[in-house]
Amino acid sequence: MANLSIMRRTAPLAAALLLAGCGLSNDLVGGGGTARLGEPRPQAPVAGFAVTPVPEATVAAHEILQKGGNAVDAAVAAGFALGVTLPSRAGLGGGAVCLIDMPHDEGGKGRPVALLFPPGAPRGSQAGASRPAAVPQMVRGLLAMQARYGALPLATDMAPAAAMAGGGVPVSRALAADLAVVGNALLADPAARNVFAGPSGGVLQAGETLRQPDLAATLARLQGGGVLSFYQGHLAARLLAGARAAGAGLTGADLRAVAARYAAPDIVHALGADIALPPTAAGLGTRAAIEALARSPDDLAGAGRDAIAAAAAGRHVRGFGALPASAGFAVADSKGGVVGCATTMNNLFGTGRIATGTGILLAASPRRVTPPLLSVALATRDGAFRAVTTGTGQAGAPLAAAAAMADSLRTGQAMPRPVPAPGRADAIACSGTLPGAPKSCAAAADPRGAGLAISSR
């Protein structure tokens, strides 16, 4: 059994314990569970660390580690679980940006890497679409990551999400807060109303049950059919038909054209570490803030200004107005495998419409909205893991990832203080390194959020 050190600031403890199969004593203790008929024989449990904005998604990642999965398996489980539990900011209709470091794979060559799969821009103009949607990229990215690095079958990694979609899951505080922002406007779409309307007729409230049978069926088909079924096969046909009914303006050519892209990260040498960043505008902003904080640790305001200026320059704009919401999550295993991701629907709940019959909430087209700054940072020293941080909070996201990283590297603690508002951050950090000193590592969720961090040693 694995000792769990859990830093949490939210949500009903009973739900997380039930999903994890945990008992309660002075510490929380979790086990690996029992194999079901037809499942592969379980591997040895893997110690690790996970943090997401929704407790059930963190527990899903931990469950996969306990089944012998590595950091990528756990990250895939967390990504799909967030698509079920936090569809306002993550989902099969959206996308993400991830940093991946798997030193025990392929001789450690070419690591870390960035994997870019944000919600895509359609090939056509979408001139006749009543609610233009982005090309879904989440499935493409998560399955590309799993195929390259995963240790468990895809169906195993997806099982927690499929179970939550079919059996129902309590509405988290994070989702309830997003539902309160959009209010009854989300219920104008009949398919969305079937999912998000509560017993009172308004939107679901925290603790009420979110059930998504159509999404559960889609996830089940994806478990068996894989990525080609989603972008070219029977799932693609269902998605396009449902998207047409939702006024999305997507075509088969759009689905076939998208691709998750591996890329070399930008590396900044600062604070005694090599810090990898996505090669994006958000990465430029995070880099500028890290460099500013390395020079002047207490000048958070100046670092924030540098971050925004660099990100704006990266997009060839003068500045930013309102930016869409995003979410971040991170996973590390005891062998030093690490994944940090930032996800988005390009708007709270994307277009607000579900592709009929699929349960897939469609992200907003990047042609109609300014995409968010998807901020992630991953630090190593001499090839060993030291810290990973994610930043959210609209224009505050790059500074959030940078400030959490700077504090974590200086103290050896996972985000010892909150990052500046409006930013929010999550972190996994070690005073030693992974692999080698897992007891020196911990995960932390932003204290102002509603997430859950699990450290399993």
Side-chain angles (χ1 to χ4, degrees):
M1 303 187 76
N3 283 331
L4 296 184
S5 165
I6 293 189
M7 286 179 272
R8 64 172 308 172
R9 283 101 174 180
T10 180
L13 180 60
L17 293 177
L18 182 61
L19 281 168
C22 297
L24 186 61
S25 61
N26 291 335
D27 295 317
L28 292 178
V29 179
T34 302
R36 298 177 179 87
L37 290 176
E39 285 190 351
R41 183 177 297 276
Q43 305 297 310
V46 174
F49 311 85
V51 56
T52 84
V54 176
E56 287 79 8
T58 306
V59 172
H62 174 258
E63 177 184 328
I64 294 303
L65 290 171
Q66 290 293 286
K67 289 184 175 180
N70 60 26
V72 162
D73 291 302
V76 170
F80 279 112
L82 284 174
V84 174
T85 62
L86 195 62
S88 51
R89 299 167 183 256
L92 274 61
V97 167
C98 297
L99 292 172
I100 307 165
D101 190 10
M102 298 297 286
H104 48 292
D105 243 48
E106 300 179 0
K109 297 178 181 179
R111 44 164 278 258
V113 297
L115 181 57
L116 312 178
F117 51 107
R123 294 161 61 95
S125 67
Q126 298 182 289
S130 61
R131 198 69 65 90
V135 182
Q137 281 266 60
M138 183 68 91
V139 170
R140 182 80 77 179
L142 292 180
L143 268 61
M145 191 190 325
Q146 206 277 343
R148 180 168 175 175
Y149 297 107
L152 298 181
L154 172 64
T156 302
D157 291 348
M158 293 182 62
M164 287 188 282
V169 65
V171 173
S172 68
R173 286 174 52 196
L175 179 58
D178 286 347
L179 284 165
V181 171
V182 298
N184 290 338
L186 181 64
L187 307 185
D189 174 51
R193 184 169 61 249
N194 287 339
V195 172
F196 297 112
S200 64
V203 293
L204 286 164
Q205 303 297 304
E208 294 180 341
T209 302
L210 173 67
R211 292 187 175 87
Q212 300 170 82
D214 286 346
L215 182 59
T218 294
L219 290 170
R221 293 185 180 100
L222 183 58
Q223 284 176 292
V227 67
L228 287 179
S229 70
F230 191 88
Y231 289 96
Q232 298 182 35
H234 63 286
L235 273 177
R238 290 175 64 89
L239 173 60
L240 289 171
R244 280 194 296 272
L250 296 177
T251 67
D254 292 329
L255 294 183
R256 291 189 295 272
V258 298
R261 180 170 67 92
Y262 283 101
D266 181 24
I267 304 291
V268 56
H269 306 286
L271 301 164
D274 300 318
I275 305 172
L277 304 160
T280 61
L284 291 174
T286 305
R287 177 183 183 127
I290 288 172
E291 291 174 335
L293 292 172
R295 295 189 302 267
S296 303
D298 297 323
D299 187 9
L300 291 166
R305 290 191 294 271
D306 288 355
I308 291 299
R315 287 194 178 168
H316 307 289
V317 297
R318 292 186 178 181
F320 297 108
L323 288 172
S326 59
F329 68 91
V331 180
D333 63 45
S334 58
K335 295 180 180 179
V338 185
V339 181
C341 299
T343 70
T344 188
M345 296 291 288
N346 277 353
N347 193 29
L348 273 184
F349 298 94
T351 65
R353 294 182 180 177
I354 290 176
T356 307
T358 68
I360 297 174
L361 193 65
L362 298 165
S365 173
R367 289 209 182 100
R368 303 299 179 97
V369 299
T370 302
L373 296 170
L374 299 177
S375 301
V376 190
L378 193 160
T380 58
R381 180 179 294 167
D382 298 326
F385 169 71
R386 287 300 309 277
V388 60
T389 61
T390 66
T392 61
Q394 287 75 42
L399 175 61
M405 177 59 73
D407 282 349
S408 296
L409 289 175
R410 285 197 176 97
T411 66
Q413 302 176 47
M415 197 174 55
R417 60 176 177 172
V419 300
R424 298 288 187 269
D426 294 319
I428 302 172
C430 306
S431 57
T433 58
L434 283 178
K439 291 184 178 180
S440 76
C441 307
D446 195 292
R448 299 155 299 183
L452 171 67
I454 295 181
S455 300
S456 171
R457 303 182 179 92

